[in-house]
């Protein structure tokens, strides 16, 4: 059966730091997508813009397509594996094939990936003839990774292990950040891939919820990384699953941007993914990369089949992409 991937974004006022009322559960045993409709206030949103995905490297001349995609427990460990929650199921061959289909449609030059267990599984989606795969050295199942177009120069830096703010004795640990430089010379781009603590999508600065305190400690680590890049005058992006509704009045965004101007590609937009919601997957550009970000290039690829939503949830996140035009 032929499947179609649609890319779109919705224009929408930026979220405030008031609490969201819509929880999003993690992936467990696959079930049907929610049938709940969009919030009434969203009825006036602009129509989605559909774009066909291009083959690898076939974008606008000289541009780079950057994507971030949370693949939701991309693992083939058997159910009951001690490293997994009890109700998480392994990916089937059919699911991997379908994810590979959408990865081919997405055709990024650089893809930040979250919740991946091994480079071999990532290579099922982004094959070695087209991409080089880099993955964090975490003792966790939900690692972060980067798929980089094979002809691009890459320098890997030490993982940002400070993002695991839990003590060594903690029963579970948080994910490190993946830090690389892509390209050479004046058009080189420093990239940090993150997947931050869940459970604090929005909060006030005085919120004492443990998940919020943990996330804000991680935000401080990302802020330090950003400050180092700004001090060096580097072009950089931070992308991944922030588990946070970043907005101008959000304390997390204010912390990230207080030392110099940044561009939040998802600002003022809502994602059409999974019945629609504000973004928690973000791409942030800083330094010279702010000038490289192509206006209105933000896209979200949806899981579609014959013009209808795919009945099987391949992930509870959709790929989010932008284009950069380096000098």
């Amino acid at each position: 059966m032929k499947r179609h991937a649609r890319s779109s974004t919705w224009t929408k006022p930026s979220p405030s730091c008031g609490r969201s009322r819509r929880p999003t559960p993690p992936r467990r045993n696959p079930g049907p997508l929610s049938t709940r409709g969009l919030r009434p206030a969203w009825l006036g949103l602009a129509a989605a813009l559909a774009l066909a995905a291009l083959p690898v490297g076939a974008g606008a001349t000289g541009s780079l397509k950057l994507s971030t995609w949370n693949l939701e427990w991309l693992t083939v460990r058997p159910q009951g594996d001690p490293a997994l929650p009890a109700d998480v199921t392994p990916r089937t061959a059919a699911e991997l094939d379908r994810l590979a289909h959408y990865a081919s449609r997405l055709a990024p030059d650089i893809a930040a990936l979250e919740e991946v267990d091994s480079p071999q599984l990532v290579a099922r989606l982004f094959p070695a003839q087209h991409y080089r795969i880099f993955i964090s050295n975490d003792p966790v199942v939900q690692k972060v990774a980067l798929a980089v177009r094979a002809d691009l120069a890459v320098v890997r830096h030490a993982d940002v292990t400070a993002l695991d703010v839990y003590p060594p004795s903690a029963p579970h640990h948080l994910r490190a950040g993946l830090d690389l430089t892509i390209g050479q010379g004046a058009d080189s781009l420093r990239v940090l891939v993150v997947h931050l603590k869940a459970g604090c999508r929005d909060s006030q600065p005085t919120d004492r919820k443990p998940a919020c305190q943990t996330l804000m400690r991680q935000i401080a680590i990302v802020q330090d990384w950003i400050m180092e890049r700004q001090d060096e005058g580097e072009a950089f992006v931070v992308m991944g699953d922030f588990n946070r509704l970043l907005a101008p009045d959000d304390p997390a965004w204010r912390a990230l941007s207080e030392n110099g101007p940044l561009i939040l590609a998802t600002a003022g937009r809502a994602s059409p993914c999974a019945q629609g919601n504000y973004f928690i997957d973000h791409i942030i550009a800083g330094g010279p990369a702010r000038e490289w970000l192509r206006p209105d290039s933000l896209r979200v690829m949806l899981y579609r089949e014959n013009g209808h939503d795919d009945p099987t949830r391949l992930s509870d996140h959709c790929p989010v992409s932008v284009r950069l035009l380096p000098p």
Side-chain angles (χ1 to χ4, degrees), residues 234-313:
E234 293 178 282
F236 66 90
V237 296
V238 184
M239 55 182 178
D241 182 354
F242 285 71
N243 272 309
R244 185 74 178 184
L245 306 174
L246 296 177
D249 65 340
D250 177 53
W253 176 249
R254 290 200 302 267
L256 292 174
S257 58
E258 71 178 7
N259 297 294
L262 302 172
I263 291 181
L264 178 64
T266 51
R269 305 289 181 128
S271 173
C273 184
Q275 301 280 346
N277 206 340
Y278 288 113
F279 285 96
I280 62 171
D281 303 294
H282 299 288
I283 300 175
I284 297 171
R290 292 181 296 117
E291 305 298 325
W292 303 355
L293 182 63
R294 291 181 56 184
D296 300 322
S297 66
L298 179 67
R299 297 291 183 270
V300 178
M301 176 175 280
L302 304 181
Y303 308 116
R304 304 282 288 176
E305 183 175 321
N306 295 330
H308 302 284
D309 288 339
D310 194 314
T312 301
R313 177 179 286 180

Side-chain angles (χ1 to χ4, degrees), residues 140-222:
V140 297
V141 178
Q142 291 186 338
K143 302 175 183 68
V144 297
L146 204 66
V148 182
R149 206 178 71 205
D151 63 325
L152 295 174
V154 179
V155 175
R156 180 167 184 171
H157 308 286
D159 289 356
V160 184
T161 56
L163 285 171
D164 181 11
V165 298
Y166 287 165
S169 59
H172 303 288
H173 287 276
L174 300 172
R175 297 155 286 241
L178 186 62
D179 184 358
L180 299 96
T181 297
I182 300 172
Q184 296 176 317
D187 63 349
S188 65
L189 180 70
R190 191 76 174 256
V191 177
L192 178 64
V193 183
V194 300
H195 185 186
L196 303 184
K197 172 66 176 174
C200 187
R201 291 196 173 194
D202 42 49
S203 65
Q204 299 292 337
T206 56
D207 197 315
R208 306 306 297 171
K209 184 178 179 182
C212 292
Q213 296 181 53
T214 297
L215 183 135
M216 292 306 294
R217 290 173 65 192
Q218 291 183 306
I219 288 292
I221 301 300
V222 177

Side-chain angles (χ1 to χ4, degrees), residues 15-95:
S16 71
C17 61
R19 295 190 177 277
S20 169
R21 295 182 178 180
R22 185 183 178 200
T24 301
R27 179 180 184 269
R28 301 301 188 218
N29 289 314
L33 291 171
S34 169
T35 58
R36 196 163 71 180
L38 300 177
R39 297 177 184 176
W42 295 8
L43 296 179
L45 296 178
L49 175 63
L51 297 177
L54 300 173
V56 172
T61 303
S63 73
L64 290 173
K65 182 177 182 180
L66 274 61
S67 303
T68 181
W69 190 5
N70 184 321
L71 288 159
E72 194 183 3
W73 291 107
L74 188 71
T75 183
V76 291
R77 300 187 191 215
Q79 188 171 17
D81 185 292
L84 299 178
D87 53 355
V88 169
T89 56
R91 290 294 190 173
T92 66
E95 287 177 331

